[in-house]
């Protein structure tokens, strides 16, 4: 096994987990006899008879906080909790002759581990050899042909999957024509592909599951305002712009320009802005506490409990019933908010290593436009037939388009505005640039350079000077800086030219 893993690792593949069933191990075999470099071992051996047993290798970088195992001499199973990756991974072995009672106790043990140790935002992976070939995974029904114990165990597994919202990911046979080895998961977005391949180690095929993330290298999601190296970490709503303007007025744009090449000037100027702002603008404060709606519900619930206590002392049964219903309704709303918060937090935590999950979560809140169900025809009658609906829409769309071949069609008449001669270089002044900046909305998104609109507007008088310097030198030299910061400067300059055209007609 170690050589197989090493071979796959050299080919660029890495297995965060390796689950093995029917290990045939006994207690006198130590974990030191089962080493795979870079992995830790968790196992559950069958103690009362030969055969059976399960084993789970996991990357050493994934610490295990809790391990629970089950062995009744028939079925075996183990569950590991990986808090750093928020994962529960379980391995199960159910022999073909296992009774319903033994299998049910094993599933109960796994369910207890889920409910005790795995929060709602944990991902569940349950794999192993179930030996239940008579489940139709297309319809989730138990086919005839098996023993009564096998059929009942199959139905028990389907009920277990329904309880914990699990899906079976293996859709190809793993032994002969039967799917005996399964992978159950509560988040199918984490599984990109499932493949099987024969192996000399067993008469069962080896199941390879390709995950959409690597649990061994998870990184904590970090809000952009916590990045201290950009403008977004600063709270410009609390900035002292009079002080900022004093500092900016002391910056010599020409000296900054002469300190390097023209191409380097935009980036240097942006860096200078960042340095000044990081010293003079307060940092954003991470949000703390509960949302306003949650606090409102909490206060209302507290008041209702005070009224309920008073009504109880007065013995007012009708009032008590009414207040209890109100408290129950508030508690229900709190539970809904808590559930939504957990889902949102889960999506945010996965945005880096599993963006598909985040965007699927966001898409679930989008509004879906419904198809047109009824329209009024020319006789003011409701129409529901699809063909008639299509004809009405076609008639309406056709009525708003002109026929280009119609002899009555004439060219539109309007006054042609004055056009600036391309051969004439526009005369741009810092005042025009400042006027163009003033027309930017305060809540406009920043450009590629990241300069906030509020900073540009509040400090337009000082920032318009380097923009003018850029424009003037660019027009005289014919050189356009390649820095992305130029995009913003050029936009303001062109806007200023538009303002000049409108005011002077040139």
């Amino acid at each position: 096994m170690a050589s197989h893993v090493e071979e796959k690792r050299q080919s660029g593949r890495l297995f965060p987990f390796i689950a093995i069933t029917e290990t045939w191990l006994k207690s006198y075999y130590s974990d030191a006899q089962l080493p795979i470099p870079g992995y830790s071992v968790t196992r559950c051996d069958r103690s009362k008879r030969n055969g059976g047993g399960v084993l789970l290798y996991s990357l050493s970088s994934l610490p295990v906080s809790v391990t629970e195992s089950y062995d009744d001499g028939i079925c075996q199973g183990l569950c590991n909790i990986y808090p750093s990756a928020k994962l529960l991974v379980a391995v199960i072995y159910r022999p073909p002759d296992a009774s319903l009672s033994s299998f049910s106790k094993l599933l109960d043990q796994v369910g207890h581990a889920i409910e005790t140790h795995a929060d709602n935002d944990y991902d569940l992976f349950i794999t192993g050899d179930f030996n239940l070939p008579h489940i139709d995974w297309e319809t989730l029904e138990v086919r005839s042909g098996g023993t009564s114990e096998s059929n009942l165990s199959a139905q028990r597994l389907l009920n277990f999957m329904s309880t914990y919202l699990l899906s079976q990911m293996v859709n190809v046979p793993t032994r002969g024509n039967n799917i005996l080895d399964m992978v159950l998961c509560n988040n199918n977005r984490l599984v990109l592909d499932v493949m099987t391949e024969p192996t000399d180690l067993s008469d069962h095929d080896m199941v390879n599951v390709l995950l959409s993330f690597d649990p061994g290298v998870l990184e904590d999601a970090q809000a952009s305002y916590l990045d201290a190296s950009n403008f977004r970490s600063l709270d410009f709503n609390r900035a002292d712009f009079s002080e900022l303007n004093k500092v900016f007025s002391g910056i010599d744009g020409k000296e900054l320009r002469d300190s390097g090449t023209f191409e380097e000037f935009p980036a240097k100027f942006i860096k200078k802005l960042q340095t000044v702002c990081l010293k003079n603008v307060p940092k954003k404060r991470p949000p703390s506490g509960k949302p306003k709606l949650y606090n409102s519900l909490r206060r209302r619930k507290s008041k209702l409990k005070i009224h309920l206590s008073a009504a109880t002392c007065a013995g007012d049964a009708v009032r008590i019933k009414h207040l209890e219903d109100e408290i129950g309704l508030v508690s229900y709303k709190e539970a809904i908010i808590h559930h939504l918060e957990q889902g949102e937090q889960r999506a945010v935590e996965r945005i880096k290593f599993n963006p598909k999950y985040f965007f699927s979560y966001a898409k679930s809140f989008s509004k879906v436009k419904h198809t047109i169900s009824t329209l009024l025809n020319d006789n003011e009658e409701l129409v529901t037939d699809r063909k008639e609906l299509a004809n009405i829409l076609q008639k309406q769309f056709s009525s708003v388009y002109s026929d280009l071949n119609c002899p009555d069609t004439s060219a539109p008449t309007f006054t042609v505005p004055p056009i600036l001669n391309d051969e004439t270089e526009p005369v741009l002044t810092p005042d025009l640039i400042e006027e163009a900046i003033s027309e930017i909305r305060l809540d406009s998104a920043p450009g590629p350079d990241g300069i906030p609109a509020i900073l540009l507007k509040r400090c337009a008088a000082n920032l318009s000077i380097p923009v003018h310097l850029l424009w003037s030198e660019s027009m005289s030299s014919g050189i356009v800086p390649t820095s992305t910061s130029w995009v913003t400067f050029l936009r303001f300059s062109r806007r200023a030219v538009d303002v000049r055209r409108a005011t002077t007609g040139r």
Side-chain angles (χ1 to χ4, degrees):
M1 177 60 70
S3 60
H4 177 77
V5 173
E6 183 61 28
E7 178 185 349
K8 296 296 185 183
R9 180 180 294 177
Q10 291 179 358
S11 65
R13 296 176 60 186
L14 181 64
F15 303 101
F17 306 101
I18 303 173
I20 303 174
T21 58
E22 290 194 86
T23 60
W24 288 60
L25 295 175
K26 295 297 182 182
S27 58
Y28 49 79
Y29 289 100
S30 67
D31 292 348
Q33 294 176 274
L34 311 167
I36 295 181
Y39 287 84
S40 58
V41 180
T42 313
R43 57 191 252 207
C44 178
D45 306 330
R46 181 185 282 177
S47 58
K48 296 182 181 180
R49 60 174 184 169
N50 292 332
V54 295
L55 181 146
L56 178 63
Y57 289 101
S58 54
L59 286 174
S60 301
S61 59
L62 287 170
V64 181
S65 63
V66 177
T67 296
E68 290 195 1
S69 60
Y70 174 85
D71 171 41
D72 63 354
I74 302 175
C75 296
Q76 290 81 48
L78 65 86
C79 293
N80 279 357
I81 303 294
Y82 302 92
S84 62
K86 292 190 176 295
L87 287 176
L88 179 147
V89 180
V91 188
I92 285 176
Y93 174 64
R94 175 194 174 275
D97 58 349
S99 64
L100 172 63
S101 174
S102 174
F103 185 55
S104 294
K105 291 178 181 178
L106 171 59
L107 293 182
D108 290 340
Q109 182 73 15
V110 176
H112 178 266
I114 294 173
E115 295 172 1
T116 305
H117 305 294
D119 297 334
N120 292 335
D121 57 346
Y122 266 63
D123 294 316
L124 312 178
F125 285 94
I126 303 173
T127 186
D129 183 2
F130 291 79
N131 284 301
L132 295 171
H134 299 289
I135 299 178
D136 186 341
W137 292 109
E138 294 291 332
T139 61
L140 295 180
E141 295 179 351
V142 181
R143 298 190 298 262
S144 60
T147 65
S148 60
E149 290 289 306
S150 175
N151 290 343
L152 291 173
S153 296
Q155 189 59 53
R156 176 71 176 82
L157 176 63
L158 293 175
N159 294 339
F160 175 83
M161 292 171 58
S162 176
T163 300
Y164 297 102
L165 305 177
L166 301 170
S167 300
Q168 207 285 108
M169 310 306 297
V170 181
N171 54 13
V172 291
T174 61
R175 184 177 185 274
N177 297 321
N178 299 317
I179 300 177
L180 303 182
D181 305 271
M182 306 175 191
V183 177
L184 311 180
C185 179
N186 67 334
N187 186 356
N188 55 13
R189 299 186 185 93
L190 301 183
V191 178
L192 295 179
D193 192 19
V194 178
M195 301 163 288
T196 60
E197 59 179 294
T199 174
D200 296 334
L201 301 176
S202 172
D203 58 346
H204 289 239
D205 289 347
M206 183 166 57
V207 179
N208 293 323
V209 180
L210 179 62
L211 301 179
S212 61
F213 71 108
D214 185 355
V217 292
L218 293 180
E219 297 180 359
D220 294 333
Q222 186 179 20
S224 59
Y225 54 76
L226 299 180
D227 184 2
S229 62
N230 59 31
F231 290 105
R232 296 195 66 183
S233 65
L234 305 177
D235 189 355
F236 285 94
N237 291 317
R238 296 190 294 132
D240 185 353
F241 286 103
S242 60
E243 185 65 27
L244 276 177
N245 278 302
K246 289 181 183 178
V247 179
F248 287 147
S249 63
I251 298 176
D252 189 343
K254 192 173 187 312
E255 180 182 349
L256 189 63
R257 158 66 188 92
D258 295 338
S259 64
T261 65
F262 181 53
E263 288 257 346
E264 297 172 344
F265 177 49
K268 284 188 174 183
F269 180 68
I270 298 300
K271 186 65 177 177
K272 188 67 176 179
L273 283 184
Q274 285 183 338
T275 304
V276 172
C277 291
L278 288 172
K279 289 182 180 179
N280 296 277
V281 180
K283 298 280 188 180
K284 284 183 179 177
R285 292 174 291 198
S288 60
K290 297 290 184 180
K292 293 182 178 179
L293 178 59
Y294 189 90
N295 284 331
S296 175
L297 291 174
R298 180 174 54 81
R299 289 192 295 268
R300 175 167 174 73
K301 188 175 182 179
S302 177
K303 291 180 181 179
L304 289 173
K305 286 184 176 180
I306 295 174
H307 294 325
L308 177 61
S309 177
T312 303
C313 294
D316 189 346
V318 177
R319 178 68 172 164
I320 291 173
K321 179 65 170 60
H322 174 72
L323 291 172
E324 287 178 344
D325 291 343
E326 287 289 324
I327 293 174
L329 180 60
V330 173
S331 299
Y332 177 68
K333 291 180 178 179
E334 286 180 333
I336 292 177
I337 294 173
H338 180 65
H339 176 74
L340 293 175
E341 285 178 349
Q342 285 185 326
E344 181 177 333
Q345 181 65 27
R346 186 176 185 178
V348 170
E349 289 174 353
R350 298 183 180 204
I351 190 171
K352 281 192 175 180
F353 64 88
N354 186 16
K356 288 184 178 179
Y357 182 89
F358 174 81
F359 289 112
S360 297
Y361 174 82
K363 189 177 180 181
S364 66
F365 292 93
S366 62
K367 295 182 179 180
V368 179
K369 294 183 179 180
H370 298 281
T371 56
I372 299 175
S373 57
T374 58
L375 287 174
L376 290 173
N377 61 13
D378 295 337
N379 298 325
E380 298 297 323
E381 298 172 344
L382 286 176
V383 175
T384 57
D385 182 70
R386 289 181 178 272
K387 185 176 181 180
E388 293 185 38
L389 292 174
N391 290 334
I392 294 174
L393 292 174
Q394 174 66 19
K395 182 178 179 181
Q396 172 62 25
F397 294 152
S398 300
S399 66
V400 298
Y401 286 96
S402 346
D403 185 1
L404 297 179
N405 298 321
C406 178
D408 298 331
T409 303
S410 59
T413 57
F414 59 90
T415 304
V416 179
I419 299 176
L420 184 65
N421 189 349
D422 293 337
E423 297 179 357
T424 305
E425 293 185 0
V427 179
L428 193 65
T429 63
D431 292 338
L432 284 176
I433 295 176
E434 186 176 349
E435 183 180 350
I437 292 177
S438 67
E439 295 188 11
I440 300 175
R441 288 169 52 108
L442 196 62
D443 57 351
S444 296
D449 45 42
I451 302 177
I454 187 174
L455 176 62
L456 290 168
K457 291 179 70 68
R458 297 288 188 264
C459 305
N462 291 298
L463 298 184
S464 62
I465 297 173
V467 178
H468 177 258
L469 181 62
L470 266 171
W471 174 270
S472 302
E473 192 161 348
S474 176
M475 294 301 295
S476 61
S477 64
I479 300 175
V480 177
T482 56
S483 168
T484 55
S485 304
W486 172 249
V487 176
T488 300
F489 292 132
L490 191 60
R491 179 181 53 164
F492 296 148
S493 302
R494 286 179 175 168
R495 179 59 186 149
V497 172
D498 292 340
V499 171
R500 183 178 179 280
R501 287 175 180 173
T503 55
T504 66
R506 294 180 54 194

